[in-house]
Amino acid sequence: MIAPADDAVRLDSVTEITWTQLVSASGLPEDELRELVRYGALVPRDPDAPAWTFESRWLVVARTASRLRHDFELDPHGLCVVLGFVERIERLEAEVRALRALLG
Amino acid sequence: MKYKDYYAVLGIARDASADEIKTSYRRLARKYHPDVSKEKDAEEKFKEMAEAYETLKDPEKRAAYDQLGSHTPGQDFRPPPDWGQHFAQGRGGFDDVDLADLFAGLSGQRGRAGGRRADHPLPGSDYEAVVRLTFDQAFHGTEVDLELSALEWDPDGGMRRVPHRVKTRIPRGVSDGEKLRVPGKGGKGVNGGPDGDLYLDIDVEAHPLYRMSGRDLYVDLPLAPWESVLGTNVNLPTPGGTVALKVPAGTRAGQHLRLSGRGIARGSGAAGNLYAIVRIEVQSVLDDRQRALYKELSEISNFNPRAQLEQEAAR
């Protein structure tokens, strides 16, 4: 019997994940993830809400954080600085791609 | 099993100190970490050095690795007969794993012996896979069949490689570099722990005509000089089918002609636009009649495309 195909889910600004899902999928301890929120490296939809929810794209950032944390043995503050650089690189790469698309 | 020289991978001597191991790893990680490096084969190189560092930074694993002896990298070898008794808690065969699996197995055994109850639920590992798609597959969505190789615990506490087949639907409109998640399709959880997830890195082949930017598409539209002046009708191919495009008279080079909703559609949101970018192409070879017509046009036309330049030059 052929197994049915599973849906691959987008990690974008439309779909939403809960704090518990983010913690469980990120690979980081909850207290470190909370520090990343405090330093602004991860942004809940409503920071004042009693239960945080996030755009699912933050899961990609959280997993990158987990990888960088492990591979470079970074503390949460250093991790935030590196994540800021990674985000900036990605934004610049997106601009380069957009310009290439425009210029041919 | 193929031998890997972890010392050579990190560029250090076999008697390197813990500090030397760490320094060398950090130096190389800075250069090759896939999140910060654009070096060619960075991901592959980083994987190798991370594997080497994970083993050599841990004195117990390093001792186990040293006991395997020194071989030529890539050479087939078997651990010495008593190696399993000392380091892998009596585990028997080593045929279905590689060196990294062997040492990952040692960590796992320690983790299990580290106070966790044998029936403690453990979540399955997350897997990652690169999915290469054609432009059309990315545009329209598709179904892919992935053949992965997964590491699993066997009942006697060792690890083994097992085939892991996943069929998944990729939604329409994915872009190059996007990451998707297939919940529950990673490694199996143990003792009732949840299964891991599968993460997909999308790699879209460049299309010979269309270029993607967000939800918009760009395509070059070559026009002859008289088409740009007089206007024309063009049958323009788009990913959704050929469209009749009216090029208005007086269209300039570089102008963007927008085809609304002919770009990329994602989820239930509106599709992006397709922009045809006008390029004016000029013949390099003319016959006598064509040359004469151009010459006549140049004589009767008072059009001066450099009027502004000339005004500036005259100041």
Side-chain angles (χ1 to χ4, degrees), chain B residues 31-66:
Chain B
K31 190 170 178 193
Y32 292 112
H33 195 283
D35 286 317
V36 293
S37 170
K38 288 294 161 210
E39 292 271 340
K40 195 172 171 281
D41 303 329
E43 187 150 7
E44 209 44 52
K45 282 183 181 154
F46 181 75
K47 242 188 198 158
E48 269 182 21
M49 66 188 68
E51 179 186 324
Y53 182 58
E54 281 298 317
T55 298
L56 297 185
K57 76 173 179 184
D58 177 326
E60 206 177 314
K61 285 191 191 175
R62 185 179 178 184
Y65 175 75
D66 289 344

Short mmCIF file of all heavy atoms in Angstrom, two decimals, chain B residues 31-66:
data_model
loop_
_atom_site.label_atom_id
_atom_site.label_comp_id
_atom_site.label_asym_id
_atom_site.label_seq_id
_atom_site.Cartn_x
_atom_site.Cartn_y
_atom_site.Cartn_z
N LYS B 31 35.22 30.07 9.63
CA LYS B 31 35.36 30.14 8.17
C LYS B 31 34.26 29.35 7.44
O LYS B 31 33.80 29.77 6.37
CB LYS B 31 36.74 29.59 7.78
CG LYS B 31 37.10 29.82 6.35
CD LYS B 31 38.55 29.50 6.08
CE LYS B 31 38.86 29.71 4.62
NZ LYS B 31 40.15 29.13 4.25
N TYR B 32 33.87 28.21 8.01
CA TYR B 32 33.02 27.30 7.24
C TYR B 32 31.59 27.11 7.77
O TYR B 32 30.84 26.35 7.19
CB TYR B 32 33.68 25.92 7.16
CG TYR B 32 34.94 25.93 6.33
CD1 TYR B 32 36.19 25.72 6.91
CD2 TYR B 32 34.87 26.15 4.96
CE1 TYR B 32 37.35 25.73 6.14
CE2 TYR B 32 36.01 26.17 4.19
CZ TYR B 32 37.24 25.96 4.77
OH TYR B 32 38.37 25.98 4.01
N HIS B 33 31.24 27.75 8.90
CA HIS B 33 29.89 27.48 9.41
C HIS B 33 28.85 27.89 8.36
O HIS B 33 28.87 29.02 7.88
CB HIS B 33 29.64 28.24 10.71
CG HIS B 33 28.45 27.74 11.45
ND1 HIS B 33 27.17 28.04 11.08
CD2 HIS B 33 28.34 26.88 12.50
CE1 HIS B 33 26.33 27.43 11.88
NE2 HIS B 33 27.02 26.72 12.76
N PRO B 34 27.92 26.97 8.01
CA PRO B 34 27.00 27.27 6.90
C PRO B 34 26.10 28.48 7.15
O PRO B 34 25.61 29.08 6.21
CB PRO B 34 26.17 25.99 6.75
CG PRO B 34 26.47 25.15 7.94
CD PRO B 34 27.76 25.61 8.53
N ASP B 35 25.88 28.86 8.40
CA ASP B 35 25.03 30.04 8.65
C ASP B 35 25.77 31.34 8.39
O ASP B 35 25.15 32.39 8.26
CB ASP B 35 24.52 30.03 10.10
CG ASP B 35 23.43 29.00 10.30
OD1 ASP B 35 22.56 28.90 9.43
OD2 ASP B 35 23.47 28.28 11.31
N VAL B 36 27.09 31.29 8.38
CA VAL B 36 27.83 32.56 8.21
C VAL B 36 28.80 32.53 7.04
O VAL B 36 29.43 33.53 6.73
CB VAL B 36 28.61 32.92 9.50
CG1 VAL B 36 27.66 33.26 10.63
CG2 VAL B 36 29.55 31.82 9.93
N SER B 37 28.95 31.38 6.38
CA SER B 37 29.96 31.24 5.34
C SER B 37 29.34 31.04 3.96
O SER B 37 28.31 30.38 3.83
CB SER B 37 30.84 30.03 5.65
OG SER B 37 31.66 29.75 4.56
N LYS B 38 29.96 31.61 2.96
CA LYS B 38 29.54 31.35 1.58
C LYS B 38 30.65 30.61 0.84
O LYS B 38 30.67 30.58 -0.39
CB LYS B 38 29.20 32.67 0.86
CG LYS B 38 27.92 33.29 1.34
CD LYS B 38 26.70 32.44 1.01
CE LYS B 38 25.52 32.80 1.87
NZ LYS B 38 24.60 31.70 2.13
N GLU B 39 31.60 30.04 1.58
CA GLU B 39 32.67 29.27 0.95
C GLU B 39 32.05 28.09 0.21
O GLU B 39 31.03 27.54 0.63
CB GLU B 39 33.62 28.70 2.03
CG GLU B 39 34.43 29.73 2.76
CD GLU B 39 35.74 30.03 2.07
OE1 GLU B 39 36.20 29.21 1.26
OE2 GLU B 39 36.30 31.12 2.34
N LYS B 40 32.72 27.69 -0.85
CA LYS B 40 32.24 26.53 -1.61
C LYS B 40 32.33 25.29 -0.71
O LYS B 40 33.30 25.12 0.02
CB LYS B 40 33.14 26.37 -2.84
CG LYS B 40 32.57 25.46 -3.89
CD LYS B 40 33.43 25.53 -5.16
CE LYS B 40 33.01 24.47 -6.14
NZ LYS B 40 33.51 23.16 -5.84
N ASP B 41 31.30 24.43 -0.73
CA ASP B 41 31.26 23.20 0.07
C ASP B 41 31.38 23.48 1.57
O ASP B 41 31.83 22.62 2.34
CB ASP B 41 32.39 22.22 -0.32
CG ASP B 41 32.34 21.87 -1.79
OD1 ASP B 41 31.23 21.85 -2.35
OD2 ASP B 41 33.40 21.62 -2.38
N ALA B 42 30.99 24.69 2.01
CA ALA B 42 31.13 25.04 3.43
C ALA B 42 30.37 24.04 4.31
O ALA B 42 30.90 23.59 5.33
CB ALA B 42 30.62 26.45 3.67
N GLU B 43 29.16 23.68 3.90
CA GLU B 43 28.33 22.83 4.74
C GLU B 43 29.00 21.47 4.96
O GLU B 43 29.06 20.96 6.07
CB GLU B 43 26.96 22.67 4.10
CG GLU B 43 26.01 21.94 5.01
CD GLU B 43 24.57 22.36 4.81
OE1 GLU B 43 24.29 23.13 3.87
OE2 GLU B 43 23.74 21.93 5.62
N GLU B 44 29.51 20.92 3.86
CA GLU B 44 30.15 19.59 3.93
C GLU B 44 31.39 19.65 4.82
O GLU B 44 31.62 18.79 5.67
CB GLU B 44 30.50 19.16 2.49
CG GLU B 44 30.51 17.68 2.25
CD GLU B 44 29.33 16.95 2.88
OE1 GLU B 44 28.15 17.33 2.67
OE2 GLU B 44 29.61 16.01 3.64
N LYS B 45 32.18 20.70 4.61
CA LYS B 45 33.42 20.85 5.40
C LYS B 45 33.09 21.05 6.87
O LYS B 45 33.73 20.49 7.74
CB LYS B 45 34.24 22.04 4.89
CG LYS B 45 35.00 21.73 3.63
CD LYS B 45 35.84 22.91 3.22
CE LYS B 45 36.58 22.59 1.94
NZ LYS B 45 36.92 23.75 1.16
N PHE B 46 32.05 21.86 7.13
CA PHE B 46 31.72 22.12 8.53
C PHE B 46 31.24 20.84 9.20
O PHE B 46 31.57 20.57 10.36
CB PHE B 46 30.66 23.21 8.67
CG PHE B 46 30.35 23.47 10.11
CD1 PHE B 46 31.25 24.18 10.90
CD2 PHE B 46 29.22 22.94 10.70
CE1 PHE B 46 31.01 24.36 12.25
CE2 PHE B 46 28.97 23.13 12.05
CZ PHE B 46 29.87 23.85 12.81
N LYS B 47 30.46 20.06 8.49
CA LYS B 47 29.96 18.80 9.04
C LYS B 47 31.12 17.92 9.49
O LYS B 47 31.11 17.34 10.56
CB LYS B 47 29.16 18.07 7.96
CG LYS B 47 27.71 17.86 8.30
CD LYS B 47 27.20 16.99 7.24
CE LYS B 47 25.78 16.90 7.03
NZ LYS B 47 25.38 16.46 5.75
N GLU B 48 32.13 17.84 8.62
CA GLU B 48 33.31 17.01 8.93
C GLU B 48 34.01 17.51 10.19
O GLU B 48 34.37 16.74 11.06
CB GLU B 48 34.33 17.13 7.79
CG GLU B 48 34.19 16.11 6.72
CD GLU B 48 35.27 16.28 5.65
OE1 GLU B 48 36.31 16.90 5.94
OE2 GLU B 48 35.03 15.80 4.53
N MET B 49 34.21 18.84 10.27
CA MET B 49 34.98 19.35 11.41
C MET B 49 34.16 19.32 12.69
O MET B 49 34.70 19.08 13.77
CB MET B 49 35.53 20.74 11.13
CG MET B 49 34.51 21.79 10.97
SD MET B 49 35.20 23.34 10.43
CE MET B 49 35.72 22.92 8.79
N ALA B 50 32.83 19.48 12.58
CA ALA B 50 31.98 19.40 13.78
C ALA B 50 32.00 17.97 14.31
O ALA B 50 32.04 17.75 15.52
CB ALA B 50 30.56 19.84 13.44
N GLU B 51 31.98 17.01 13.38
CA GLU B 51 32.02 15.60 13.78
C GLU B 51 33.35 15.32 14.50
O GLU B 51 33.38 14.67 15.55
CB GLU B 51 31.88 14.74 12.52
CG GLU B 51 31.93 13.26 12.77
CD GLU B 51 31.92 12.48 11.45
OE1 GLU B 51 31.26 12.90 10.48
OE2 GLU B 51 32.60 11.43 11.40
N ALA B 52 34.43 15.84 13.93
CA ALA B 52 35.76 15.62 14.53
C ALA B 52 35.82 16.26 15.91
O ALA B 52 36.29 15.67 16.89
CB ALA B 52 36.84 16.20 13.63
N TYR B 53 35.28 17.49 16.02
CA TYR B 53 35.36 18.22 17.29
C TYR B 53 34.51 17.56 18.36
O TYR B 53 34.94 17.43 19.51
CB TYR B 53 34.90 19.67 17.06
CG TYR B 53 34.99 20.53 18.30
CD1 TYR B 53 36.20 20.71 18.96
CD2 TYR B 53 33.86 21.18 18.80
CE1 TYR B 53 36.28 21.52 20.10
CE2 TYR B 53 33.93 21.98 19.94
CZ TYR B 53 35.14 22.14 20.58
OH TYR B 53 35.23 22.93 21.70
N GLU B 54 33.30 17.11 17.97
CA GLU B 54 32.41 16.45 18.94
C GLU B 54 33.11 15.27 19.60
O GLU B 54 32.91 14.98 20.76
CB GLU B 54 31.12 15.96 18.24
CG GLU B 54 30.09 17.02 18.00
CD GLU B 54 29.55 17.65 19.27
OE1 GLU B 54 29.27 16.94 20.24
OE2 GLU B 54 29.43 18.89 19.29
N THR B 55 33.94 14.59 18.83
CA THR B 55 34.63 13.41 19.36
C THR B 55 35.88 13.80 20.13
O THR B 55 36.11 13.33 21.24
CB THR B 55 34.99 12.45 18.19
OG1 THR B 55 33.77 12.04 17.57
CG2 THR B 55 35.73 11.23 18.68
N LEU B 56 36.69 14.69 19.57
CA LEU B 56 38.00 14.97 20.19
C LEU B 56 37.90 15.87 21.42
O LEU B 56 38.79 15.87 22.26
CB LEU B 56 38.95 15.58 19.15
CG LEU B 56 39.29 14.68 17.96
CD1 LEU B 56 40.34 15.36 17.08
CD2 LEU B 56 39.80 13.31 18.39
N LYS B 57 36.81 16.65 21.53
CA LYS B 57 36.72 17.56 22.70
C LYS B 57 36.34 16.79 23.97
O LYS B 57 36.50 17.28 25.08
CB LYS B 57 35.71 18.68 22.44
CG LYS B 57 34.26 18.26 22.53
CD LYS B 57 33.35 19.47 22.43
CE LYS B 57 31.90 19.04 22.49
NZ LYS B 57 30.95 20.11 22.31
N ASP B 58 35.81 15.59 23.77
CA ASP B 58 35.35 14.78 24.90
C ASP B 58 36.44 13.74 25.21
O ASP B 58 36.71 12.87 24.37
CB ASP B 58 34.04 14.11 24.46
CG ASP B 58 33.49 13.18 25.52
OD1 ASP B 58 34.28 12.55 26.25
OD2 ASP B 58 32.26 13.10 25.62
N PRO B 59 37.11 13.83 26.39
CA PRO B 59 38.26 12.94 26.66
C PRO B 59 37.93 11.47 26.50
O PRO B 59 38.74 10.69 25.98
CB PRO B 59 38.62 13.26 28.11
CG PRO B 59 38.04 14.61 28.38
CD PRO B 59 36.84 14.76 27.49
N GLU B 60 36.71 11.08 26.90
CA GLU B 60 36.35 9.66 26.83
C GLU B 60 36.21 9.21 25.36
O GLU B 60 36.72 8.16 24.97
CB GLU B 60 35.02 9.48 27.55
CG GLU B 60 34.83 8.08 28.10
CD GLU B 60 33.51 7.99 28.87
OE1 GLU B 60 33.25 8.91 29.69
OE2 GLU B 60 32.77 7.04 28.61
N LYS B 61 35.54 10.07 24.58
CA LYS B 61 35.38 9.72 23.15
C LYS B 61 36.73 9.77 22.43
O LYS B 61 36.99 8.97 21.54
CB LYS B 61 34.41 10.70 22.48
CG LYS B 61 32.97 10.49 22.82
CD LYS B 61 32.15 11.36 21.87
CE LYS B 61 30.72 11.44 22.28
NZ LYS B 61 29.99 12.38 21.42
N ARG B 62 37.54 10.73 22.82
CA ARG B 62 38.85 10.86 22.18
C ARG B 62 39.68 9.59 22.44
O ARG B 62 40.34 9.06 21.53
CB ARG B 62 39.58 12.09 22.71
CG ARG B 62 40.89 12.36 22.01
CD ARG B 62 41.57 13.60 22.54
NE ARG B 62 42.85 13.83 21.88
CZ ARG B 62 43.70 14.78 22.19
NH1 ARG B 62 43.41 15.62 23.17
NH2 ARG B 62 44.84 14.92 21.55
N ALA B 63 39.62 9.09 23.70
CA ALA B 63 40.35 7.87 24.03
C ALA B 63 39.82 6.70 23.19
O ALA B 63 40.60 5.90 22.66
CB ALA B 63 40.20 7.57 25.52
N ALA B 64 38.49 6.64 23.05
CA ALA B 64 37.88 5.57 22.25
C ALA B 64 38.33 5.68 20.79
O ALA B 64 38.65 4.69 20.14
CB ALA B 64 36.36 5.65 22.35
N TYR B 65 38.38 6.92 20.30
CA TYR B 65 38.80 7.14 18.91
C TYR B 65 40.27 6.73 18.73
O TYR B 65 40.62 6.04 17.77
CB TYR B 65 38.61 8.61 18.54
CG TYR B 65 39.12 8.96 17.17
CD1 TYR B 65 38.42 8.60 16.02
CD2 TYR B 65 40.34 9.64 17.01
CE1 TYR B 65 38.90 8.91 14.76
CE2 TYR B 65 40.82 9.95 15.76
CZ TYR B 65 40.10 9.58 14.63
OH TYR B 65 40.58 9.87 13.38
N ASP B 66 41.12 7.15 19.68
CA ASP B 66 42.55 6.82 19.58
C ASP B 66 42.77 5.31 19.57
O ASP B 66 43.68 4.80 18.93
CB ASP B 66 43.33 7.47 20.73
CG ASP B 66 43.43 8.98 20.57
OD1 ASP B 66 43.17 9.46 19.44
OD2 ASP B 66 43.74 9.68 21.55
#
